[in-house]
């Protein structure tokens, strides 16, 4: 399924307890570079890149639904 490539892999999980309670930590594979670089970055994706990100999100959602995973 083409959307599977857009789902990050869960490598490990653990819990920690601190002064603010219990927290579940998820360890995933490394993701891509940050969208913003440097203090003068405009904070926006180019129109072409925005469409690419949207397409990947739709493909990932369709894949999750095909695997009977519901998100909220």
């Amino acid at each position: 399924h083409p959307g599977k490539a857009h789902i990050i892999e869960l490598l490990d999980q653990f819990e920690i307890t601190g002064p603010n309670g219990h927290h579940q930590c998820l360890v995933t594979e490394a993701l891509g570079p940050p969208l913003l670089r440097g203090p003068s970055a405009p904070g926006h994706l180019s129109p072409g890149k925005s469409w690419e990100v949207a397409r990947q999100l739709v493909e990932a959602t369709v894949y999750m639904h095909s695997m009977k995973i519901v998100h909220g």
Side-chain angles (χ1 to χ4, degrees):
H1 193 286
K4 185 176 182 180
H6 307 303
I7 304 293
I8 61 172
E9 183 179 347
L10 179 63
L11 301 175
D12 198 4
Q13 63 182 2
F14 58 92
E15 288 188 14
I16 59 172
T17 301
N20 295 317
H22 299 285
H23 305 278
Q24 183 178 20
C25 301
L26 305 176
V27 181
T28 65
E29 59 187 299
L31 300 178
L35 296 176
L36 303 177
R37 294 186 182 195
S40 62
H44 298 286
L45 294 172
S46 68
K49 185 56 97 172
S50 296
W51 279 107
E52 178 65 17
V53 169
R55 182 187 63 76
Q56 291 177 3
L57 287 169
V58 169
E59 285 181 350
T61 302
V62 170
Y63 171 69
M64 289 191 321
H65 287 178
S66 75
M67 299 302 294
K68 308 289 190 243
I69 297 172
V70 178
H71 57 91

